[in-house]
Amino acid sequence: MKPFSAASIAALGLAALVAQPVRRSVTLVVLGGTVITQNATRDVVSPGAVAIDGRDIVEVGTPAAIAAKYRASETLDARDEIILPGLINTHTHAPMVMYRGLADDLALMDWLQKYIFPAEARTVSPEMVRTGTKLAALEMIESGTTTFADMYYFEEEIAKTTAEAGLRAVLGQTIIQFPVADAKTPAEGLARAERFIREFQDNGLVVPAVAPHALYTNDRATLVASADVGRRYGVPLLIHFAETEEEVRIVREQFKTTPAAYLESLGFWGPNTLAAHAIWVTDDDLAILKRRGVGLSHNPESNMKLASGAAPVVKYLAAGVALGLGTDGAASNNDLDMFEAMRQASFLAKHVTNDPTAVPARAALDLATVGGARALHMERLIGSLDAGKRADLITVSMRAARQTPMYDPISHLVFASRGDDVRTTIVNGKVLMKQRQLRPLDRAAVIADANRLAAKVKDAVGR
Ligand SMILES: [Zn+2]
């Protein structure tokens, strides 16, 4: 046997080098205790890690597997925490945080007509909307919401503020029959919606949308025109739907039908619609909603607070409709904490069905993640931690006395945790909060601005 030549030794060394796996550079790795993926098989990886490059998730695996394959520019240590997809709030009115606690303990129609609509007439402005949205964004980032669906006025201001804060959102410009702060007529509102859609239709974080307020606040022509704008631009259509018995009565008296069938007769429903509340719905209505692929938003806290009723969530889940969870505006909740929304969704379903197995913790977590993504028709992008989806995720601490001991992380997320337990919030691969430190929002400035504006609101409504 010939001794090894210098050249063959060099070749061997090269082969050894090649055999070493080349680690791919990524922008961020989050190292976690337990990763709850919410993927199709609901995998839980413990301990787990998530590799992120730019805006996207590259891989979820064990920390060893991720370390062997990826070299990260930044590593976040969340080893004592749970990593899960960012929560999706499918129905809110972000700037209404400015009316938090302004009028409580009222029924929807009284609350709207005697308090909220007059307060809005006197105080809604681009400045109010910007300041309110910043405060809402702060609250959402701090409580683990990474995507929200909104219906309000001056939606272009909400869009700018949302994108600056780094959150993802579906933002619907409100269309309403009576004069409001940003439009004297529905036609003006629709023109505003079209400008808004054109300005933001290629935004990486914001999906512009049209939001006719409700069928009892818009006439037939306005509803049809709103749906037409939605279809023409291929953007979502958002509406308050079947929220109260009063709404059902109005539709029965005026049109001799149900809210779902009325909107069906107008050609309103389509594959990109999102209906908030959907409480007073018959089996025939449910069949329409399912056939049209309508996304539904369940808002248990707002529905309980305004005593609007309880959506037939168990029926919806059995029917397999796209159902997400929302907080509604902070004036009827009174916060934007999706952990509380999950808990109340579970409790309310158990309470109204007399069945403690209704909406278990896993189903509630699904509503706030994959369910919300489906309801917003964004399931290809968000809702679970899957390679190729957008990197929208949060980490949650499990160290509080009320979370001790922990046998089942999903039980704790739904039944024992609060928004305050969120430590880190990441949207589109960008870290918006790291161990409770915010970036780019300046917490103190956002709260000071909101308090300054609140003084004006107080004067305007004569409090
Ligand atoms: Zn609402």
Side-chain angles (χ1 to χ4, degrees):
M1 195 186 170
K2 254 179 30 179
F4 287 122
S5 69
S8 63
I9 288 169
L12 274 173
L14 203 65
L17 261 181
V18 171
Q20 282 275 323
V22 179
R23 294 195 303 160
R24 174 178 163 185
S25 296
V26 291
T27 49
L28 179 64
V29 163
V30 187
L31 280 177
T34 298
V35 181
I36 294 171
T37 64
Q38 291 296 89
N39 66 7
T41 44
R42 298 295 187 272
D43 293 337
V44 173
V45 190
S46 187
V50 183
I52 294 164
D53 197 32
R55 64 174 194 198
D56 296 326
I57 295 168
V58 177
E59 192 171 336
V60 179
T62 63
I66 295 293
K69 285 175 77 173
Y70 302 101
R71 194 162 30 89
S73 330
E74 187 182 358
T75 301
L76 284 180
D77 187 349
R79 275 175 291 187
D80 289 345
E81 295 159 23
I82 289 175
I83 302 178
L84 70 153
L87 304 179
I88 298 171
N89 185 347
T90 52
H91 181 65
T92 191
H93 314 279
M96 289 187 83
V97 291
M98 290 310 306
Y99 304 132
R100 195 191 323 259
L102 195 65
D104 297 311
D105 312 312
L106 295 158
L108 176 79
M109 296 298 177
D110 268 358
W111 176 78
L112 271 179
Q113 278 149 17
K114 293 191 191 145
Y115 297 89
I116 295 303
F117 288 152
E120 286 180 333
R122 273 173 251 146
T123 59
V124 170
S125 68
E127 185 211 0
M128 176 272 180
V129 158
R130 275 195 300 273
T131 304
T133 303
K134 243 181 234 179
L135 179 64
L138 173 66
E139 187 181 349
M140 287 191 270
I141 292 166
E142 287 192 324
S143 57
T145 292
T146 53
T147 296
F148 68 102
D150 192 78
M151 301 170 68
Y152 214 59
Y153 310 101
F154 298 109
E155 208 65 45
E156 70 285 355
E157 299 295 337
I158 298 178
K160 280 180 224 157
T161 308
T162 298
E164 278 165 24
L167 281 172
R168 192 182 303 288
V170 175
L171 303 178
Q173 168 65 37
T174 289
I175 310 296
I176 203 158
Q177 207 66 35
F178 53 82
V180 285
D182 67 350
K184 284 186 208 70
T185 62
E188 227 180 85
L190 284 162
R192 176 178 273 282
E194 289 199 52
R195 280 198 304 279
F196 168 56
I197 292 164
R198 283 197 292 267
E199 190 181 345
F200 286 93
Q201 59 192 353
D202 299 318
N203 193 284
L205 285 170
V206 165
V207 177
V210 196
H213 175 269
L215 45 74
Y216 58 88
T217 46
N218 282 296
D219 69 16
R220 177 187 289 262
T222 302
L223 291 168
V224 169
S226 302
D228 181 56
V229 169
R231 256 190 296 273
R232 233 172 332 116
Y233 289 93
V235 298
L237 196 57
L238 278 51
I239 191 165
H240 289 105
F241 163 74
E243 183 173 0
T244 59
E245 277 188 295
E246 173 75 356
E247 176 180 337
V248 174
R249 189 188 58 76
I250 292 169
V251 176
R252 194 186 302 124
E253 275 176 14
Q254 291 184 11
F255 308 108
K256 314 271 175 272
T257 186
T258 64
Y262 173 60
L263 289 172
E264 171 76 357
S265 75
L266 302 186
F268 185 89
W269 300 125
N272 213 355
T273 43
L274 174 71
H277 303 299
I279 295 172
W280 300 95
V281 169
T282 65
D283 288 350
D284 288 345
D285 294 339
L286 172 53
I288 294 172
L289 299 171
K290 193 173 179 195
R291 189 168 69 243
R292 294 293 178 197
V294 177
L296 302 181
S297 173
H298 174 44
N299 297 261
E301 295 167 88
S302 169
N303 298 160
M304 284 192 274
K305 185 164 183 253
L306 297 167
S308 301
V313 171
V314 173
K315 245 187 209 180
Y316 288 150
L317 292 176
V321 294
L323 181 69
L325 205 53
T327 57
D328 209 345
S332 62
N333 183 304
N334 289 0
D335 61 36
L336 305 178
D337 185 345
M338 284 292 292
F339 285 86
E340 206 184 321
M342 286 195 280
R343 181 152 58 247
Q344 298 306 331
S346 177
F347 289 173
L348 177 61
K350 295 175 194 313
H351 179 71
V352 296
T353 58
N354 275 322
D355 177 3
T357 69
V359 187
R362 271 164 187 74
L365 182 63
D366 283 359
L367 288 177
T369 54
V370 280
R374 265 186 78 205
L376 297 182
H377 312 286
M378 292 174 78
E379 64 269 37
R380 273 190 229 105
L381 289 183
I382 56 171
S384 61
L385 303 181
D386 278 300
K389 280 197 179 181
R390 298 290 186 260
D392 291 8
L393 52 129
I394 59 175
T395 77
V396 181
S397 164
M398 286 289 156
R399 288 184 287 258
R402 83 190 117 74
Q403 295 164 314
T404 308
M406 181 174 73
Y407 303 112
D408 176 354
I410 293 176
S411 166
H412 268 25
L413 284 171
V414 174
F415 295 133
S417 300
R418 303 173 184 156
D420 291 352
D421 298 318
V422 173
R423 302 296 304 172
T424 294
T425 300
I426 298 168
V427 179
N428 222 29
K430 269 183 78 178
V431 182
L432 305 184
M433 182 173 77
K434 181 181 177 180
Q435 296 300 331
R436 300 301 290 177
Q437 295 304 305
L438 284 125
R439 41 167 147 158
L441 280 186
D442 175 346
R443 186 171 204 287
V446 171
I447 289 186
D449 285 351
N451 280 326
R452 253 193 304 277
L453 184 73
K456 290 190 200 168
V457 171
K458 212 171 154 185
D459 282 350
V461 300
R463 281 282 173 114

